[in-house]
Amino acid sequence: ETAVFQTPNYHVTQVGNEVSFNCKQTLGHDTMYWYKQDSKKLLKIMFSYNNKQLIVNETVPRRFSPQSSDKAHLNLRIKSVEPEDSAVYLCASSFWGGDAEQFFGPGTRLTVL
Amino acid sequence: QQKVQQSPESLIVPEGGMASLNCTSSDRNVDYFWWYRQHSGKSPKMLMSIFSNGEKEEGRFTVHLNKASLHTSLHIRDSQPSDSALYLCAADPSGSWQLIFGSGTQLTVMP
């Protein structure tokens, strides 16, 4: 099956803990992304990773960091989570270019207590 | 910062009716517009894209684009309850690395 896969589906943790989310795509794409979707369903880009080039949305707090081993994997680490980090984190992939469709994974719902 | 505005925020149409959704970009350098659909509890999936002025039709779905006004609209005819979802408009500014998403229109089709 070719798709974008994410683990875990859900994660509950406490303020100050570190969490990591995994994302893998089997679509042969060269670009991967992380998005945050808040409780109002607003979808905001966090990172884009293409051919070892990382582009960071300047509004993303420094406690967030992407980690990639190859073009098919892009993980997300959050050091010392805050309550406002509670959201759904969506991974996506595409070929590079504005005319390329992005394919989304099922998401990881993070709850910070 | 570039924004994508969608209206209405929510829309209720009867089964078999027409749903019309609007989207405008504040960035004049947008090359591409996308419409994604997100069913409750699911991830967004691309519905339609439009890059040129005019109209594009795929089945019950029609998308219009006016590049001069940076306005796109999505029209769903013969709406079905399965069309009930959050519809997200996204714009891709020229030379940008990112898609900018609007806040969405929540469509409910009543049987």
Side-chain angles (χ1 to χ4, degrees):
Chain A
E1 183 187 3
T2 53
V4 180
F5 303 93
Q6 290 185 243
T7 57
N9 294 328
Y10 305 92
H11 189 80
V12 181
T13 190
Q14 294 189 331
V15 170
N17 285 350
E18 177 175 316
V19 299
S20 286
F21 303 146
N22 301 313
C23 179
K24 177 181 83 170
Q25 57 94 4
T26 58
L27 296 162
H29 291 152
D30 56 12
T31 306
M32 296 183 72
Y33 312 84
W34 276 104
Y35 287 86
K36 178 181 179 182
Q37 189 168 39
D38 62 22
S39 57
K40 295 183 179 179
K41 301 296 183 182
L42 188 59
L43 197 59
K44 281 190 174 177
I45 184 75
M46 300 178 73
F47 305 100
S48 167
Y49 194 83
N50 166 260
N51 195 27
K52 299 187 179 180
Q53 180 193 17
L54 173 66
I55 305 177
V56 181
N57 186 325
E58 61 209 19
T59 66
V60 174
R62 294 175 69 112
R63 61 180 179 277
F64 289 84
S65 59
Q67 298 168 316
S68 178
S69 56
D70 54 53
K71 68 177 185 180
H73 296 83
L74 185 67
N75 300 331
L76 180 66
R77 186 177 75 163
I78 314 173
K79 286 198 299 186
S80 189
V81 295
E82 301 283 342
E84 60 264 31
D85 298 338
S86 294
V88 175
Y89 292 87
L90 290 158
C91 176
S93 73
S94 74
F95 292 111
W96 179 254
D99 60 345
E101 176 185 351
Q102 292 189 17
F103 293 79
F104 285 83
T108 295
R109 179 176 295 277
L110 173 66
T111 301
V112 180
L113 301 176
Chain B
Q1 187 178 2
Q2 192 242 350
K3 287 187 177 180
V4 173
Q5 305 278 6
Q6 288 189 247
S7 64
E9 197 172 301
S10 62
L11 181 63
I12 300 175
V13 300
E15 183 174 356
M18 171 76 86
S20 295
L21 290 66
N22 298 294
C23 173
T24 303
S25 168
S26 63
D27 189 327
R28 298 217 60 83
N29 295 317
V30 169
D31 284 337
Y32 310 110
F33 282 93
W34 300 83
W35 286 93
Y36 281 77
R37 182 166 70 177
Q38 186 175 20
H39 285 105
S40 180
K42 303 293 186 181
S43 58
K45 284 186 169 50
M46 198 275 288
L47 188 63
M48 292 187 74
S49 60
I50 189 161
F51 306 152
S52 305
N53 263 332
E55 178 182 300
K56 183 177 174 182
E57 182 178 333
E58 292 180 3
R60 297 184 293 109
F61 299 87
T62 302
V63 63
H64 294 267
L65 174 61
N66 181 327
K67 275 203 161 183
S69 61
L70 297 169
H71 179 261
T72 179
S73 57
L74 174 68
H75 305 272
I76 309 171
R77 62 176 172 82
D78 189 24
S79 296
Q80 301 298 307
S82 58
D83 294 328
S84 296
L86 180 69
Y87 288 78
L88 296 163
C89 174
D92 192 319
S94 175
S96 172
W97 62 280
Q98 61 182 301
L99 275 184
I100 309 296
F101 280 86
S103 54
T105 293
Q106 184 67 51
L107 174 65
T108 303
V109 181
M110 301 295 289

